[in-house]
Amino acid sequence: MRQAFRTLLTVTTLAACGAITLSFRTDEGMFPLSALQGVDLAKAGLRIPKEAIFNPNGVSLTNALVRLGGCTGSFVSDEGLVITNHHCVEGAVSRVNINYIEQGFTAKNRGEEIPVNIPCRITMSYQDVSEQVLEGISNDMDPAERSKAIGEHIKRIVEADKKSNPGLSIEISEMFTGRSYTLFRYMTLQDTRLVYVPPVNIGQFGDETDNWVWPRHNADFSIVRAYVSPNGKPAAYSPDNVPFKPAKHLEINAKGTKEGDFVFIMGYPGRTFRHQPYEFLRYQQECMLPAVSNWFGWQINMMKKLGENNKARYANFYDDIQGLSNTEKNFRGKMQGLRRTTLLQEKQAEDARLEGLTQTAPEWMKYDKLFPEIRETYQARIGEFPRNFLLQRLVNDVPQFYLAVMLARGRKEYAANKTKLAEIQKSLLEEANKAYRIEDVEFEELCLKELLQRCAMLPSGMRPAEFDRLGNVDQWFADWKKKTRLSDTAAMMGLLRNSPAKFLAYKDGLTELATALLPLLIQIEQNDVQRDNLLRSLLPRYIELKEFDRKEGFTPDANSTLRLTYGNIKGYTPNDGEWNAPYTTLDGVFEKANTEHDYTLTREQADKLRVKDVPPMYKDPRSGKVVVAFLYNLDTTGGNSGSPVLDADGRLIGVNFDRAWTATLNDFAWSSEYSRSIGVDIRYVLYVMKYVSGADHVISELGVSL
Ligand code: ARG
Ligand code: ASP
């Protein structure tokens, strides 16, 4: 992946800082295990006791949940089978052999399973460590020192816990920014192997066209198996390893569901931004969302154009196109959501009310500077945004520029102290190895040209003078391209390795531009760190006020730790006058088939999917059609992909894989009107395994008899 690996400049602003949540609507919620006690799940429709979901002293559904790479998965057999999404294993499998993705794959026996080594972690236990983390930390501390001290406390607590829990991965997660911290102990299984994946055009039928969209017609699921050493311990791949025996695996309910049914999801949602102030949302709306979607859109179009008549080149861009498109479309969805809803106004009104408290309520007057400081910080960010965004993209997306900046920095250090050459060489080598990677020279050079052109068009008060000195950017670029060696990674790395002094003396137009921009780049990085620290020290006060004001429904933002969310299978109105039913069927697959590229279905696949006398279990009893995907009003986000969708008895009825277009706004606030998540129905999972792939032995290992 090209994105977000160059960290010369802090790019935290892309995701923006902090992770805190405020519950905007009372029944929203990605509940941490520790908050389950306060939730009336029985009233909502759960038929099993809460201890069946989480039980610190015994076995519960929690033991069946795993975090698989950046996704979620769940154990579905006592021999370590894990069900997750197709798109969660796609990258790892295609690196082994792209044919398994294109044609699908079924291991006929254990020996045929393919090592994919996607780390699989199980939450073993957790513990509130807020007091220890915040010991001696006060609101009046200098923000940078405060962040540093918290970081050091976390490190110390983790190290100590590791000693008493050998073999487990220990992590402390910030629940409410600067206010509460939970220590999690995970068992991490490293040896995972592919057991089953449907052909990609069935697994991701509709691909980009349907991504973030309902109705949906894809079988986005796959099955892997987790292995451990013969003595039951996590271990790297070895042919001697044996299937992991989970303490709990999910039972499957293939009998079907109906609209209105209670459902819940357990999983590892990545990140939400609900406990951020209004200014954060304004920054997203005015700056981040439009700029990122615009720039990613430009990159996607360029990759598509360059790869148009060249299959190998297109394949090289494939992962990046997928990743960038996923974000680009998500951000456009959020922009639509912010336009259509009153979320911004509600947030603004809420913050005005809270600010009022700091001016009128004696116990809150101690926070009278809170809102002015938040405003001032975001004002500064928003004001500098057009310039900083372009400079950060130059560093992040143009490896030639990244190297030029590194070189400029090295040269400065060398000029200050000639005896340090070896040291400078070592650190430059480390950084270059990490991030100086050119995947497609022409593409990356075109990114450079485009970004320079955009920089040259910045308003005069904001445009660094260096860009005026370039003159005509087309001409500058053409001259630079003729002379430069920065696009030749082997040559530049060779120079750095063998003659660092010569490396530092290397010059062309871009290294000179980077040298001139260096003080500004450093300034931007420092400002960013400082602003992040300041906001991180203000947020705990903001949350404290909010909690006081809200009194209930206060759950922390998603932070990749285990959460539960519940609700119902439910249709909705995505656009005025449009009703969307909560189930799709195989009819929709055939309606779409081969109408455009993303809906390719081969003749053979179509024949297999068109089953004569389909057994009733696969069909929706009311329509008599084979069910494919379904929709529910749960509170999910990125990372929830692969999460099991469970019925009132805690049995598996589907696998979550996406959200509807309107629900991209869910990262900012949940609403029963627009928040809808999408899962593949377990009946379609079985249907595809049986009729497309003949994977009957996998189905019987799932404990389903057909
Ligand atoms: N939008 C979903 C998620 O955020 C699915 C992405 C994979 N599918 C795709 N066609 N790109 O991960
Ligand atoms: N598709 C997302 C994932 O991969 C899920 C979502 O964002 O709703 O986690």
Side-chain angles (χ1 to χ4, degrees):
M1 289 296 269
R2 279 183 177 78
Q3 289 312 306
F5 53 73
R6 297 185 184 95
T7 52
L8 188 72
L9 292 178
T10 325
V11 212
T12 46
T13 31
L14 182 61
C17 64
I20 331 156
T21 243
L22 97 105
S23 289
F24 234 82
R25 315 291 196 279
T26 48
D27 42 358
E28 83 174 2
M30 299 179 180
F31 297 98
L33 296 178
S34 55
L36 285 186
Q37 276 322 315
V39 189
D40 196 344
L41 288 171
K43 191 169 155 219
L46 184 74
R47 283 194 293 256
I48 50 174
K50 257 189 221 168
E51 300 70 62
I53 292 178
F54 173 62
N55 180 356
N57 307 311
V59 172
S60 63
L61 288 179
T62 302
N63 298 94
L65 263 289
V66 301
R67 178 153 186 226
L68 194 82
C71 288
T72 302
S74 54
F75 287 116
V76 281
S77 89
D78 59 1
E79 295 274 307
L81 284 190
V82 173
I83 194 162
T84 185
N85 288 146
H86 184 289
H87 79 262
C88 295
V89 304
E90 188 185 14
V93 174
S94 64
R95 278 188 286 279
V96 178
N97 187 341
I98 187 83
N99 287 334
Y100 298 145
I101 288 299
E102 278 171 12
Q103 282 142 36
F105 175 82
T106 312
K108 287 195 210 65
N109 50 55
R110 301 258 164 92
E112 278 189 17
E113 294 171 5
I114 297 159
V116 282
N117 300 315
I118 307 174
C120 172
R121 46 188 223 184
I122 309 166
T123 302
M124 304 302 285
S125 62
Y126 71 86
Q127 183 182 327
D128 185 346
V129 290
S130 311
E131 250 176 59
Q132 294 102 294
V133 172
L134 295 175
E135 203 186 321
I137 304 285
S138 79
N139 275 345
D140 325 316
M141 282 172 87
D142 167 70
E145 267 164 34
R146 188 176 189 279
S147 285
K148 195 168 151 236
I150 291 180
E152 280 163 5
H153 292 182
I154 288 179
K155 217 169 140 200
R156 200 188 56 227
I157 303 165
V158 167
E159 287 311 317
D161 206 75
K162 263 188 192 155
K163 288 207 182 93
S164 33
N165 293 285
L168 296 185
S169 326
I170 313 295
E171 250 170 51
I172 291 180
S173 299
E174 186 171 51
M175 306 309 280
F176 287 106
T177 304
R179 273 173 71 75
S180 56
Y181 297 83
T182 306
L183 177 144
F184 288 90
R185 301 186 187 93
Y186 300 101
M187 184 199 282
T188 308
L189 311 179
Q190 297 146 37
D191 183 356
T192 47
R193 306 182 195 175
L194 181 69
V195 174
Y196 177 80
V197 68
V200 65
N201 62 327
I202 290 179
Q204 295 196 47
F205 186 76
D207 201 17
E208 271 327 304
T209 311
D210 283 3
N211 194 23
W212 300 116
V213 167
W214 177 261
R216 215 46 174 275
H217 294 94
N218 47 335
D220 196 342
F221 77 98
S222 63
I223 295 177
V224 299
R225 194 190 302 278
Y227 281 79
V228 284
S229 69
N231 61 4
K233 295 261 163 9
Y237 170 84
S238 153
D240 301 333
N241 284 352
V242 297
F244 174 70
K245 294 206 180 288
K248 175 89 188 167
H249 70 273
L250 300 179
E251 211 181 293
I252 286 172
N253 170 12
K255 296 229 159 60
T257 52
K258 57 180 188 320
E259 176 154 26
D261 279 2
F262 170 86
V263 290
F264 69 106
I265 275 183
M266 295 176 79
Y268 289 89
R271 202 145 195 232
T272 51
F273 305 94
R274 296 170 187 171
H275 285 307
Q276 294 285 348
Y278 162 71
E279 298 298 327
F280 167 87
L281 265 196
R282 187 164 87 93
Y283 176 63
Q284 294 298 316
Q285 191 211 20
E286 286 178 20
C287 303
M288 267 345 250
L289 299 172
V292 170
S293 53
N294 169 293
W295 173 238
F296 283 11
W298 185 91
Q299 287 186 301
I300 296 162
N301 285 339
M302 187 52 77
M303 288 187 202
K304 284 188 178 160
K305 203 167 122 194
L306 297 177
E308 209 171 11
N309 298 315
N310 183 336
K311 211 178 158 204
R313 198 170 182 194
Y314 189 83
N316 185 35
F317 285 132
Y318 182 78
D319 259 9
D320 290 306
I321 292 178
Q322 292 273 97
L324 292 177
S325 305
N326 202 36
T327 305
E328 190 269 340
K329 202 166 175 183
N330 176 301
F331 279 22
R332 269 193 292 123
K334 287 185 164 86
M335 288 196 279
Q336 176 189 282
L338 289 175
R339 259 198 322 272
R340 280 188 179 182
T341 64
T342 52
L343 186 59
L344 277 155
Q345 291 93 310
E346 286 169 51
K347 273 290 230 187
Q348 193 171 24
E350 178 173 44
D351 280 12
R353 196 172 62 243
L354 298 179
E355 185 166 7
L357 284 178
T358 67
Q359 285 154 2
T360 53
E363 74 271 37
W364 294 110
M365 284 190 191
K366 59 184 177 188
Y367 293 164
D368 63 338
K369 301 260 167 25
L370 174 65
F371 285 92
E373 281 194 84
I374 291 175
R375 268 197 297 275
E376 214 177 282
T377 311
Y378 275 106
Q379 206 54 55
R381 266 205 171 142
I382 291 171
E384 292 170 10
F385 181 82
R387 180 195 70 190
N388 293 3
F389 179 77
L390 292 176
L391 292 176
Q392 286 172 332
R393 293 327 296 188
L394 270 171
V395 172
N396 200 74
D397 299 346
V398 182
Q400 294 89 336
F401 186 74
Y402 174 79
L403 191 75
V405 175
M406 273 179 44
L407 192 151
R409 230 188 35 214
R411 195 149 64 191
K412 198 170 144 211
E413 283 169 37
Y414 183 53
N417 187 344
K418 299 262 183 212
T419 63
K420 278 202 165 162
L421 189 58
E423 218 175 286
I424 295 169
Q425 181 196 30
K426 188 169 164 254
S427 89
L428 290 185
L429 270 172
E430 254 166 45
E431 282 176 56
N433 279 331
K434 248 189 271 159
Y436 174 50
R437 217 168 298 128
I438 295 180
E439 313 219 8
D440 187 294
V441 177
E442 189 182 1
F443 173 74
E444 275 135 356
E445 289 184 352
L446 287 171
C447 286
L448 170 67
K449 186 164 135 191
E450 177 67 19
L451 288 168
L452 291 181
Q453 253 149 3
R454 292 185 185 201
C455 287
M457 283 186 316
L458 282 167
S460 57
M462 192 182 290
R463 186 174 62 237
E466 287 74 18
F467 292 106
D468 294 333
R469 285 185 213 118
L470 295 184
N472 177 308
V473 172
D474 279 345
Q475 191 55 51
W476 180 95
F477 178 78
D479 292 345
W480 171 78
K481 210 168 133 55
K482 267 187 240 145
K483 287 185 210 130
T484 191
R485 292 177 73 194
L486 292 172
S487 293
D488 185 345
T489 45
M492 291 312 290
M493 289 304 283
L495 204 56
L496 175 56
R497 234 176 267 119
N498 304 324
S499 18
K502 272 198 197 144
F503 173 85
L504 292 178
Y506 171 82
K507 273 194 182 134
D508 69 26
L510 198 60
T511 60
E512 294 326 281
L513 177 67
T515 305
L517 286 172
L518 189 62
L520 176 64
L521 294 173
I522 291 173
Q523 185 64 53
I524 291 174
E525 169 161 311
Q526 284 169 347
N527 286 347
D528 239 7
V529 171
Q530 196 202 342
R531 286 171 191 156
D532 277 349
N533 282 335
L534 179 61
L535 287 171
R536 291 184 63 74
S537 75
L538 295 174
L539 279 171
R541 292 172 232 184
Y542 177 73
I543 296 162
E544 194 186 338
L545 258 174
K546 195 166 245 173
E547 194 171 13
F548 166 81
D549 182 61
R550 222 24 108 69
K551 296 185 178 66
E552 58 173 30
F554 214 67
T555 46
D557 267 309
N559 60 354
S560 295
T561 60
L562 191 55
R563 303 294 177 97
L564 179 143
T565 166
Y566 65 91
N568 305 88
I569 297 176
K570 221 171 164 174
Y572 87 133
T573 294
N575 299 298
D576 185 42
E578 199 179 314
W579 171 252
N580 275 190
Y583 290 97
T584 56
T585 71
L586 204 49
D587 283 17
V589 176
F590 292 121
E591 274 166 21
K592 285 175 172 173
N594 300 319
T595 54
E596 62 165 277
H597 174 76
D598 281 350
Y599 299 126
T600 305
L601 204 61
T602 66
R603 180 71 182 272
E604 194 195 346
Q605 288 169 338
D607 287 346
K608 286 180 173 173
L609 282 171
R610 236 186 262 281
V611 176
K612 253 204 231 131
D613 303 322
V614 179
M617 65 154 286
Y618 297 108
K619 297 190 207 167
D620 175 20
R622 275 174 299 180
S623 67
K625 294 172 181 172
V626 173
V627 173
V628 172
F630 65 128
L631 194 66
Y632 33 85
N633 63 356
L634 271 53
D635 188 0
T636 65
T637 189
N640 268 123
S641 273
S643 299
V645 189
L646 302 157
D647 68 6
D649 298 308
R651 292 172 306 177
L652 186 68
I653 53 168
V655 187
N656 186 71
F657 66 89
D658 207 3
R659 279 172 283 163
W661 171 246
T662 54
T664 49
L665 193 59
N666 199 48
D667 295 347
F668 299 146
W670 177 91
S671 156
S672 63
E673 269 158 42
Y674 60 70
S675 293
R676 288 294 180 283
S677 308
I678 304 171
V680 50
D681 197 288
I682 200 70
R683 289 169 286 176
Y684 194 53
V685 167
L686 299 169
Y687 189 90
V688 168
M689 282 206 280
K690 181 165 180 67
Y691 296 111
V692 175
S693 314
D696 293 38
H697 60 292
V698 185
I699 296 174
S700 50
E701 190 179 336
L702 299 179
V704 180
S705 44
L706 297 179

